[in-house]
Amino acid sequence: MENVEYCGLISNLLLQRTNGKAPRALVRTYGCQQNVSDSEKIKGMLSHMGYEFTQNNNDADIIIFNTCAVREHAEDRVFGNVGALKALKKKKPHLIIALCGCMMEQSHIADKIKKSFPFVNLVFGTHSLSHFPQLIYKTITEEKRIFERGIDDNTIAEDVPIKRDGNLKAFLPIMYGCDNFCSYCVVPYVRGRERSRNSFNILKEAKSIVDEGYKDITLLGQNVNSYGKNLDEEINFAQLLKEVDNIKGDFWLRFMTSHPKDATKELIDAMASGKHICHHLHLPFQSGSNRILKLMNRHYTREKYLEIVSYAKEKMPDISITSDVIVGFPGETYEDFCSTLSLIREVGFTSLFTFIYSKRAGTLATKMEDPISAKEKSKWFKELLAVQNEVSEEQSRKYEGKTVKVLIEGRANELGKLTARTQGNIIVDLKGDENLIGKFAMVKITKAQNWFLKGELVNTL
Ligand code: SAH
Ligand code: SF4
């Protein structure tokens, strides 16, 4: 049976149970943009089953947590929040509790849910997303717990309905999975082998996103720079980026994540000559020490990283570079850590996603000696944050007095104020009327804070 048929059956069943009142769903997303995008598909399918949406646990007939396994802290939060649903389930026995996403692809996690959280009805992994309607149908009709994970047939399900969050920003996955096996990272184990969508389907989706009025499109993949490697068609990421850029319309185009080992001059040239492509490069470096980069299995050196950054700066002097960094990788010394600090200063990142190393079951790094204490690592981490704050402030100050293009995204907390974003993904606060939301505008930057800018509207575009 097809997904649409399952959705129809579920819709009828639920309406009988709720006496014609629309059932409600709550979907909570943890982790990265890929998870946000997967949740948009889950919500699209739930919509087809007749569900409306709520943010309130007490109103929900189904609660779904789409989980993240990248760090232990993210997993602990999920366990805490699932535990808190026990009392609600007791009060509302018809409530369906479902857990999905990266955490659920790990057998030790699925076993823990089976044993310690008997009120969870459905568990499914990232590979089962496309037959979600069938799983819900089984959960409702068979009245038993369903656990489904680990089925990696490497196919990509196209034409899954999507209910996007918001109406300005759209995530567009161009590939799934990862083959890089960085020694600290669980992603290749929970998301499977790298596979690219064919360019025809990506371009079709991109056109419809533009036609629907979205203004800020992000192409998504764990390593977008290796796009196309498993496809029959001859295409690489720079070529795909140019094709999406050629779509007519009024929009910004971004992409993430770029792996430095596969970042090419061709890609930078495509960015520099694009019409819609933001001068924003998210290029995770993880460590500034060649010794640690090697242990991390990253396949580039500090010098290679700086070379691509310097080429990008040469071609796009206004480029904003952001990155991910890990502090306290097994065997990292204070000297290695200082190399990370010096790289941060040398590049001048606009902002950083900063992580303390977290041990992930099944990864290579778990076998490495890790003599530095958690206390010491957190001291280094604070030192790194202080350096990045200084660097961010320096970067922001460059905008003072300049007039830049922004996308006005919404209301700010302060009355009469709006919040906007630059190409470089920096937040700008400005005064203005709500009817400007969703418009591109020129804004004069009057003041720089360390992670946001204050500006005045010059004109809309
Ligand atoms: N595919 C992306 C990143 C995906 S995970 C890339 O390669 O850039 C997002 C970030 O989480 C990583 O860049 C890394 O900085 C961090 N991360 C991944 N595994 C981690 C771990 N075990 N401990 C701490 N941080 C981790
Ligand atoms: Fe993880 Fe490395 Fe793949 Fe990124 S490239 S998802 S860090 S294994």
Side-chain angles (χ1 to χ4, degrees), residues 32-33 68-72 177-178 180 182-187 221-224 256-260 282-286 296 298 300 323-327 329 353-360 363 365:
C32 68
Q33 286 83 354
C68 169
V70 164
R71 283 167 305 137
E72 195 178 356
C178 181
N180 289 312
C182 300
S183 60
Y184 50 82
C185 185
V186 78
V187 171
Q222 295 300 343
N223 174 12
V224 290
M256 73 188 301
T257 295
S258 274
H259 194 308
H282 184 68
L283 194 65
F285 71 97
Q286 314 297 0
M296 284 178 163
R298 289 289 286 179
Y300 56 85
S323 197
D324 296 353
V325 54
I326 298 176
V327 173
F329 182 81
F353 291 104
T354 50
F355 307 98
I356 293 187
Y357 169 74
S358 168
K359 197 171 178 175
R360 304 287 63 211
T363 61

Coordinates of all heavy atoms in Angstrom, one line a residue, residues 32-33 68-72 177-178 180 182-187 221-224 256-260 282-286 296 298 300 323-327 329 353-360 363 365, ligand 1:
C32 N 20.5 19.1 14.4 CA 20.9 20.0 13.2 C 19.8 20.2 12.2 O 18.7 19.8 12.4 CB 22.1 19.2 12.5 SG 21.5 17.7 11.7
Q33 N 20.2 21.0 11.2 CA 19.2 21.4 10.1 C 18.6 20.2 9.4 O 17.5 20.2 8.9 CB 19.9 22.3 9.1 CG 20.1 23.7 9.6 CD 21.4 23.8 10.4 OE1 22.0 22.8 10.7 NE2 21.7 25.0 10.8
C68 N 18.7 13.7 18.4 CA 20.0 13.9 17.9 C 21.0 13.1 18.7 O 20.9 13.0 19.9 CB 20.4 15.4 18.1 SG 22.1 15.8 17.8
A69 N 22.0 12.5 18.0 CA 22.9 11.6 18.7 C 24.4 12.1 18.7 O 25.3 11.5 19.2 CB 22.9 10.2 18.1
V70 N 24.5 13.4 18.2 CA 25.9 13.9 18.0 C 26.7 14.0 19.3 O 27.9 13.7 19.4 CB 25.9 15.2 17.2 CG1 27.2 15.9 17.3 CG2 25.6 14.9 15.8
R71 N 26.0 14.4 20.4 CA 26.7 14.5 21.7 C 25.8 13.9 22.8 O 24.6 13.9 22.7 CB 27.0 16.0 22.0 CG 28.2 16.5 21.2 CD 28.3 18.0 21.3 NE 27.1 18.6 20.8 CZ 26.6 19.6 21.4 NH1 27.1 20.2 22.5 NH2 25.5 20.2 21.0
E72 N 26.5 13.5 23.9 CA 25.8 12.9 25.0 C 24.7 13.8 25.6 O 23.6 13.4 26.0 CB 26.8 12.5 26.1 CG 26.2 11.5 27.1 CD 27.3 11.1 28.1 OE1 28.5 11.5 27.9 OE2 26.9 10.3 29.0
G177 N 23.2 11.1 4.5 CA 24.3 10.2 5.0 C 25.7 10.8 4.9 O 25.9 12.0 4.5
C178 N 26.7 10.0 5.3 CA 28.1 10.5 5.3 C 29.0 9.3 5.2 O 28.8 8.3 5.9 CB 28.3 11.3 6.6 SG 30.0 11.9 6.6
N180 N 32.5 9.9 5.6 CA 33.8 10.4 6.0 C 34.4 9.7 7.3 O 35.6 9.7 7.5 CB 33.7 11.9 6.2 CG 33.6 12.5 4.9 OD1 34.4 12.2 3.9 ND2 32.7 13.4 4.7
C182 N 34.8 10.7 10.4 CA 35.7 11.4 11.3 C 35.7 10.6 12.6 O 34.6 10.1 13.0 CB 35.1 12.8 11.5 SG 35.0 13.7 9.9
S183 N 36.8 10.5 13.3 CA 36.9 9.5 14.3 C 36.1 9.8 15.5 O 35.8 8.9 16.3 CB 38.4 9.4 14.7 OG 38.9 10.6 15.2
Y184 N 35.6 11.0 15.7 CA 34.7 11.3 16.9 C 33.2 11.2 16.6 O 32.4 11.3 17.5 CB 35.0 12.8 17.3 CG 34.9 13.8 16.1 CD1 33.7 14.3 15.7 CD2 36.1 14.1 15.4 CE1 33.6 15.1 14.6 CE2 36.0 15.0 14.4 CZ 34.8 15.5 13.9 OH 34.7 16.3 12.8
C185 N 32.8 11.0 15.3 CA 31.5 11.3 14.9 C 30.6 10.1 14.7 O 31.0 9.1 14.0 CB 31.5 12.2 13.6 SG 29.9 12.7 13.1
V186 N 29.4 10.2 15.1 CA 28.4 9.1 15.1 C 27.6 9.1 13.8 O 26.9 8.1 13.4 CB 27.6 9.1 16.4 CG1 26.5 10.1 16.3 CG2 27.0 7.7 16.7
V187 N 27.6 10.3 13.1 CA 26.7 10.5 12.0 C 26.7 9.3 10.9 O 25.7 8.8 10.5 CB 26.9 11.9 11.3 CG1 26.1 12.0 10.1 CG2 26.5 13.0 12.3
G221 N 23.5 19.1 3.4 CA 24.1 17.8 3.3 C 25.2 17.8 4.3 O 25.7 18.8 4.8
Q222 N 25.6 16.6 4.8 CA 26.7 16.5 5.8 C 28.0 17.0 5.2 O 28.9 17.5 5.9 CB 26.9 15.1 6.3 CG 25.7 14.5 7.0 CD 25.4 15.3 8.3 OE1 26.2 16.1 8.8 NE2 24.2 15.2 8.8
N223 N 28.2 16.8 3.8 CA 29.4 17.2 3.2 C 29.0 17.6 1.7 O 29.2 16.8 0.8 CB 30.4 16.1 3.2 CG 31.7 16.5 2.4 OD1 31.8 17.6 2.0 ND2 32.5 15.5 2.1
V224 N 28.4 18.8 1.6 CA 27.8 19.1 0.3 C 28.9 19.1 -0.8 O 28.6 18.9 -2.0 CB 27.1 20.5 0.3 CG1 25.9 20.5 1.1 CG2 28.1 21.6 0.7
M256 N 25.1 24.2 3.4 CA 25.9 23.7 4.6 C 25.7 22.2 4.6 O 24.7 21.7 4.3 CB 25.6 24.4 5.9 CG 24.3 24.1 6.5 SD 23.9 25.1 7.9 CE 25.3 24.8 9.0
T257 N 26.7 21.4 5.0 CA 28.0 21.9 5.5 C 29.1 21.5 4.5 O 29.1 20.5 3.8 CB 28.3 21.2 6.8 OG1 27.4 21.6 7.8 CG2 29.7 21.5 7.3
S258 N 30.1 22.4 4.4 CA 31.2 22.2 3.5 C 32.3 21.5 4.2 O 32.7 22.0 5.3 CB 31.8 23.5 3.0 OG 31.1 24.0 1.9
H259 N 32.8 20.4 3.7 CA 34.0 19.8 4.4 C 35.3 20.4 3.7 O 35.4 20.4 2.5 CB 33.9 18.3 4.1 CG 34.9 17.5 5.0 ND1 36.2 17.8 5.1 CD2 34.7 16.5 5.8 CE1 36.8 17.0 5.9 NE2 35.9 16.1 6.4
P260 N 36.2 20.9 4.5 CA 37.4 21.5 3.9 C 38.2 20.6 3.0 O 38.8 21.1 2.0 CB 38.2 21.9 5.1 CG 37.3 21.9 6.3 CD 36.2 20.9 6.0
H282 N 30.2 28.3 5.6 CA 30.3 27.6 6.9 C 31.2 26.4 6.6 O 30.9 25.5 5.9 CB 28.9 27.1 7.4 CG 29.0 26.4 8.7 ND1 29.3 27.1 9.8 CD2 28.9 25.1 9.0 CE1 29.3 26.2 10.9 NE2 29.1 25.0 10.4
L283 N 32.5 26.5 7.2 CA 33.5 25.6 6.9 C 34.2 25.1 8.2 O 35.1 25.7 8.7 CB 34.6 26.4 6.0 CG 35.6 25.6 5.3 CD1 35.0 24.7 4.2 CD2 36.7 26.5 4.6
P284 N 33.6 24.0 8.7 CA 34.1 23.5 10.0 C 35.5 23.1 10.0 O 36.0 22.3 9.1 CB 33.2 22.3 10.3 CG 32.0 22.5 9.5 CD 32.4 23.2 8.3
F285 N 36.3 23.6 10.9 CA 37.8 23.3 10.9 C 38.1 22.3 12.0 O 39.0 21.5 12.0 CB 38.7 24.5 11.1 CG 38.6 25.2 12.4 CD1 39.6 24.9 13.4 CD2 37.6 26.1 12.7 CE1 39.6 25.6 14.6 CE2 37.6 26.7 14.0 CZ 38.6 26.5 14.9
Q286 N 37.3 22.2 13.1 CA 37.4 21.3 14.2 C 38.6 21.4 15.1 O 38.5 21.4 16.3 CB 37.3 19.8 13.7 CG 36.2 19.5 12.7 CD 34.8 19.7 13.2 OE1 34.6 20.1 14.4 NE2 33.8 19.5 12.4
M296 N 41.7 12.9 14.1 CA 40.3 13.1 13.8 C 39.9 12.5 12.5 O 38.7 12.5 12.1 CB 39.9 14.6 13.8 CG 39.8 15.2 15.2 SD 39.4 17.0 14.9 CE 38.9 17.4 16.6
R298 N 40.4 13.8 9.4 CA 39.7 14.9 8.7 C 40.3 15.1 7.3 O 39.7 15.8 6.4 CB 39.8 16.2 9.5 CG 39.0 16.3 10.7 CD 37.5 16.4 10.4 NE 37.1 17.7 9.9 CZ 35.9 18.0 9.5 NH1 34.9 17.1 9.6 NH2 35.6 19.2 9.1
Y300 N 42.7 16.9 5.9 CA 43.2 18.2 5.5 C 44.1 18.7 6.6 O 44.1 18.2 7.7 CB 42.1 19.3 5.2 CG 41.2 19.6 6.3 CD1 41.5 20.5 7.3 CD2 40.0 18.9 6.5 CE1 40.7 20.7 8.4 CE2 39.2 19.1 7.5 CZ 39.5 20.0 8.5 OH 38.7 20.2 9.6
S323 N 32.1 28.5 11.5 CA 32.8 27.2 11.6 C 32.3 26.4 12.8 O 31.6 26.9 13.7 CB 34.3 27.4 11.7 OG 35.0 26.2 11.4
D324 N 32.7 25.1 12.9 CA 32.5 24.3 14.1 C 33.9 23.9 14.6 O 34.9 23.7 13.9 CB 31.9 22.9 13.7 CG 30.5 23.1 13.1 OD1 29.9 24.2 13.2 OD2 29.9 22.0 12.7
V325 N 34.0 23.8 16.0 CA 35.3 23.5 16.6 C 35.0 22.6 17.8 O 34.0 22.7 18.5 CB 36.1 24.7 17.0 CG1 35.3 25.7 17.8 CG2 37.4 24.4 17.7
I326 N 35.9 21.6 18.0 CA 35.8 20.7 19.1 C 37.0 20.9 20.1 O 38.2 21.0 19.6 CB 35.8 19.2 18.6 CG1 34.6 18.9 17.7 CG2 35.8 18.3 19.8 CD1 34.6 17.5 17.1
V327 N 36.7 21.1 21.4 CA 37.7 21.2 22.4 C 37.8 19.9 23.2 O 36.8 19.3 23.5 CB 37.3 22.4 23.3 CG1 38.3 22.5 24.5 CG2 37.3 23.7 22.6
F329 N 39.5 16.9 22.3 CA 39.6 15.7 21.6 C 40.6 14.8 22.3 O 41.6 15.3 22.8 CB 39.9 15.9 20.1 CG 40.0 14.6 19.3 CD1 38.8 14.1 18.8 CD2 41.2 14.0 19.1 CE1 38.8 12.9 18.1 CE2 41.2 12.8 18.3 CZ 40.0 12.3 17.8
F353 N 30.3 27.5 16.1 CA 29.6 26.5 17.0 C 30.7 25.7 17.7 O 31.6 25.1 17.1 CB 28.8 25.5 16.1 CG 27.6 26.2 15.4 CD1 27.6 26.5 14.1 CD2 26.5 26.5 16.2 CE1 26.5 27.1 13.5 CE2 25.4 27.1 15.6 CZ 25.4 27.4 14.2
T354 N 30.6 25.8 19.0 CA 31.7 25.3 19.9 C 31.3 24.1 20.6 O 30.2 24.1 21.2 CB 32.2 26.4 20.9 OG1 31.0 26.9 21.5 CG2 32.9 27.5 20.2
F355 N 32.1 23.0 20.6 CA 31.7 21.8 21.3 C 32.8 21.3 22.2 O 34.0 21.3 21.7 CB 31.3 20.7 20.3 CG 30.3 21.1 19.3 CD1 30.7 21.6 18.0 CD2 28.9 21.1 19.6 CE1 29.7 22.0 17.1 CE2 28.0 21.5 18.7 CZ 28.4 21.9 17.4
I356 N 32.5 20.7 23.3 CA 33.5 19.9 24.1 C 33.3 18.5 23.6 O 32.2 18.0 23.4 CB 33.2 20.0 25.6 CG1 33.5 21.5 26.1 CG2 34.1 19.0 26.3 CD1 33.4 21.7 27.6
Y357 N 34.4 17.8 23.3 CA 34.4 16.5 22.8 C 33.5 15.6 23.7 O 33.6 15.6 24.9 CB 35.8 15.9 22.8 CG 35.8 14.4 22.5 CD1 35.5 13.9 21.3 CD2 36.0 13.5 23.5 CE1 35.4 12.5 21.0 CE2 36.0 12.1 23.3 CZ 35.7 11.6 22.1 OH 35.6 10.3 21.8
S358 N 32.7 14.8 23.0 CA 31.8 13.9 23.7 C 32.0 12.5 23.1 O 32.0 12.3 21.9 CB 30.3 14.4 23.4 OG 29.4 13.4 23.8
K359 N 32.2 11.5 24.0 CA 32.5 10.2 23.6 C 31.3 9.5 23.0 O 30.2 9.4 23.7 CB 33.0 9.4 24.8 CG 33.7 8.2 24.6 CD 34.3 7.7 25.9 CE 35.0 6.4 25.7 NZ 35.7 5.9 26.9
R360 N 31.4 9.0 21.8 CA 30.2 8.4 21.1 C 30.5 6.9 20.8 O 31.4 6.5 20.2 CB 29.9 9.1 19.7 CG 29.7 10.6 19.8 CD 28.4 11.0 20.4 NE 28.2 10.6 21.8 CZ 27.0 10.3 22.3 NH1 25.9 10.3 21.6 NH2 26.9 10.1 23.6
T363 N 32.5 4.8 17.8 CA 33.4 5.6 17.0 C 34.9 5.2 17.3 O 35.2 4.8 18.4 CB 33.2 7.1 17.2 OG1 33.4 7.4 18.5 CG2 31.8 7.5 16.8
A365 N 37.4 7.1 18.0 CA 38.0 7.9 19.1 C 37.8 7.4 20.5 O 38.6 7.7 21.4 CB 37.5 9.4 19.0
Ligands
SAH1 N1 28.8 17.1 8.7 C1 29.2 18.2 9.4 C2 28.9 18.2 10.8 C3 27.9 17.4 11.5 S1 27.9 17.3 13.2 C4 30.7 18.5 9.1 O1 31.4 17.6 8.9 O2 31.1 19.6 9.3 C5 28.1 19.0 13.7 C6 29.3 19.3 14.5 O3 29.2 18.6 15.7 C7 30.6 18.8 14.0 O4 31.1 19.7 13.0 C8 31.5 18.8 15.2 O5 32.1 20.0 15.5 C9 30.4 18.5 16.3 N2 30.6 17.1 16.8 C10 30.4 15.9 16.1 N3 30.6 14.9 16.8 C11 31.1 15.3 18.0 C12 31.5 14.7 19.3 N4 31.6 13.4 19.4 N5 31.8 15.5 20.3 C13 31.8 16.9 20.2 N6 31.4 17.5 19.1 C14 31.0 16.7 18.0

